[in-house]
């Protein structure tokens, strides 16, 4: 399906700048690169999925932009042979779990989510031994081997709803302790975080005093925050929700100015959805360095050489799908792959 890798570009790729990359590929401009990507996509029957936190130019060439689970399901519905996932490692892995008959490519294997790597299979097993009656709910931002040990797999968009629907008062949840706290706050249930310290390094960069100051400057602004933010930040938010919920909220809200309490890549998406509003990052350092490792050049390289293929052991993938099916069932939704 893919041409053989005939030049060893890997050792030099981290020292080349954008224009130098174009030169390596024999292209004169970014437009040239974009048309080559489109040609390859067509030839390979490929689809490009981009997370809401991706670089603007990556979002612009993607077939679908959204959050991780939503994108994997879109890929499944598209029936494409090749899926290029412009996101971090667990997202590409999730796409491989749900699209076993497709080739899933991750353009940059070094784009890894630090929070997802904070949870291990041992954390789940220890918690199960300690709290044998508590179901294990795992955030989609986790490795597949961990998800395979879960009873339910949730996104930030449905975590509260799922935990409300589960018939148990005590829940084990990982890896994000702030999301665990948010779920507990909203459901009144005891949510035991595994590990105790799990967090997203990007969503913990917001500062209470800065947001207060911004709110006092932009008096008519609405502050929207992600549930991965700590409690003090969520406490001063006008709206708390996942990236897809933020997009819906902004589209339906009359406000003209929004303070953004999530990774700043979402602003590109919001500007496309509602260009008449102003968007101010609540922290200029809310940048996920891992997400930003995906570039147009790497997507081109990925499509051209079939790099880097992501696969998940079929017994692990089966167990992950079962846990996602449990989630759909508890919510009363139809399982999309049945
Ligand atoms: S924003 Fe946080 S949770 Fe999302 S990929 Fe980056 S580090 Fe992981």
């Amino acid at each position: 399906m893919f041409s053989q890798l005939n030049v060893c570009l890997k050792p030099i790729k981290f020292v080349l700048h954008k224009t130098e990359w174009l030169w390596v590929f024999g292209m004169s401009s970014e437009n040239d690169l974009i048309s080559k990507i489109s040609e390859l996509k067509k030839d390979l029957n490929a689809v490009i999925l981009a997370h809401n936190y991706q670089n603007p130019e990556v979002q612009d060439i993607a077939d679908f932009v959204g959050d991780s689970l939503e994108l994997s399901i879109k890929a499944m519905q598209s029936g494409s042979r090749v899926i290029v996932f412009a996101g971090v490692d667990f997202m590409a892995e999730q796409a491989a779990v749900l699209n076993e008959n497709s080739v899933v490519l991750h353009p940059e294997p070094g784009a890894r989510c630090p929070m997802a790597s904070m949870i291990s299979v041992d954390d789940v097993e220890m918690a199960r031994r300690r709290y044998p009656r508590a179901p294990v709910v795992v955030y989609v931002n986790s490795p597949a081997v961990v998800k395979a040990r879960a009873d339910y797999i949730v996104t930030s968009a449905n975590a509260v709803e799922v935990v409300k629907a589960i018939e148990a008062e005590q829940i084990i949840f990982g890896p994000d302790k702030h999301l665990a706290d948010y779920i507990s706050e909203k459901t009144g249930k005891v949510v035991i975080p595994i590990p105790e310290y799990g967090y997203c390094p990007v969503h913990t960069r917001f500062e209470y005093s800065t947001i207060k100051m911004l709110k006092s400057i932009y008096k008519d602004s609405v502050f929207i925050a992600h549930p991965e933010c700590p409690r003090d930040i969520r406490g001063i938010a006008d709206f708390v929700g996942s990236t897809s919920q933020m997009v819906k909220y902004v589209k339906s809200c009359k406000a003209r100015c929004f303070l953004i309490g999530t990774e700043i890549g979402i602003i590109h998406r919001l500007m496309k959805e509602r260009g008449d509003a102003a968007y101010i990052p609540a922290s200029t350092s809310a940048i996920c360095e891992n997400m930003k490792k995906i570039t147009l050049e790497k997507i081109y390289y990925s499509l051209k050489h079939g790099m880097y293929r992501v696969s998940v052991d079929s017994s692990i993938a089966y167990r992950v799908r079962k846990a996602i099916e449990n989630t759909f069932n508890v919510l009363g939704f139809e399982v999309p792959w049945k």
Side-chain angles (χ1 to χ4, degrees):
M1 184 187 297
F2 298 101
S3 63
Q4 288 299 307
L5 178 63
N6 50 14
V7 259
C8 183
L9 292 170
K10 204 175 170 200
I12 56 170
K13 68 180 178 173
F14 296 108
V15 294
L16 291 177
H17 297 296
K18 203 166 186 145
T19 45
E20 292 166 327
W21 260 114
L22 292 173
W23 176 78
V24 167
F25 291 139
M27 293 173 200
S28 53
S29 67
E30 194 165 282
N31 283 346
D32 207 3
L33 181 59
I34 292 168
S35 27
K36 295 276 183 212
I37 292 174
S38 305
E39 277 168 31
L40 280 171
K41 243 177 56 177
K42 213 164 141 201
D43 292 349
L44 298 168
N45 180 18
V47 70
I48 299 176
L49 310 177
H51 189 269
N52 287 320
Y53 297 159
Q54 276 305 313
N55 289 306
E57 64 277 16
V58 171
Q59 292 192 32
D60 290 345
I61 55 136
D63 298 282
F64 302 108
V65 180
D67 59 30
S68 50
L69 189 59
E70 179 189 3
L71 288 174
S72 299
I73 293 173
K74 284 254 195 267
M76 193 191 297
Q77 290 161 345
S78 76
S80 302
R81 280 173 71 209
V82 178
I83 297 166
V84 180
F85 209 116
V88 288
D89 52 350
F90 76 83
M91 297 177 180
E93 205 183 47
Q94 183 63 48
V97 162
L98 294 184
N99 295 277
E100 278 195 305
N101 297 324
S102 305
V103 172
V104 176
L105 302 174
H106 190 205
E108 172 50 75
R112 304 170 72 86
C113 169
M115 180 170 75
S117 62
M118 289 176 192
I119 189 166
S120 68
V121 168
D122 284 352
D123 291 325
V124 177
E125 291 190 340
M126 270 162 51
R128 277 204 194 274
R129 280 197 294 275
R130 201 156 164 205
Y131 308 99
R133 297 163 66 121
V136 174
V137 180
V138 162
Y139 191 21
V140 68
N141 301 32
S142 310
V145 283
V146 171
K147 287 180 186 144
R149 310 284 169 136
D151 299 308
Y152 303 92
I153 293 165
V154 297
T155 63
S156 50
N158 67 18
V160 168
E161 223 182 319
V162 172
V163 170
K164 260 187 199 159
I166 296 172
E167 284 181 20
E169 285 311 304
Q170 203 179 43
I171 307 283
I172 297 164
F173 180 85
D176 186 12
K177 68 172 183 181
H178 299 295
L179 183 55
D181 179 51
Y182 177 67
I183 298 168
S184 172
E185 202 177 67
K186 292 286 166 193
T187 61
K189 295 189 180 184
V190 177
V191 182
I192 302 149
I194 53 161
E196 279 177 24
Y197 61 84
Y199 67 97
C200 161
V202 177
H203 288 96
T204 44
R205 286 179 195 155
F206 296 102
E207 283 174 12
Y208 184 89
S209 55
T210 308
I211 295 162
K212 279 285 197 192
M213 183 195 71
L214 288 170
K215 279 187 140 198
S216 69
I217 298 172
Y218 302 99
K219 292 204 183 336
D220 295 331
S221 66
V222 166
F223 174 44
I224 58 176
H226 195 278
E228 288 173 19
C229 293
R231 187 183 273 234
D232 61 337
I233 303 299
R234 296 194 313 263
I236 48 170
D238 300 291
F239 175 79
V240 178
S242 68
T243 54
S244 49
Q245 288 167 332
M246 282 180 184
V247 172
K248 270 193 207 139
Y249 176 78
V250 166
K251 279 167 84 176
S252 66
C253 179
K254 290 202 170 66
R256 303 285 302 269
C257 178
F258 296 89
L259 300 179
I260 305 300
T262 191
E263 211 275 350
I264 60 170
I266 189 81
I267 294 177
H268 184 68
R269 170 88 194 270
L270 293 173
M271 281 170 73
K272 281 180 137 179
E273 301 283 352
R274 251 202 78 189
D276 65 320
Y279 304 98
I280 299 156
S283 164
T284 48
S285 58
I287 299 171
C288 180
E289 298 81 0
N290 280 282
M291 285 281 187
K292 306 305 190 216
K293 286 179 182 167
I294 309 285
T295 60
L296 289 184
E297 291 78 3
K298 288 178 187 173
I299 290 174
Y300 171 75
Y301 184 73
S302 177
L303 278 166
K304 188 152 176 67
H305 300 291
M307 306 278 276
Y308 295 85
R309 190 164 179 180
V310 180
S311 55
V312 177
D313 176 89
S314 59
S315 66
I316 300 278
Y318 174 80
R319 285 157 65 188
V320 176
R321 284 196 300 274
K322 282 281 156 212
I324 300 176
E325 283 173 24
N326 290 345
T327 304
F328 280 111
N329 290 337
V330 85
L331 291 173
F333 294 161
E334 209 174 304
V335 178
W337 50 89
K338 285 218 157 166

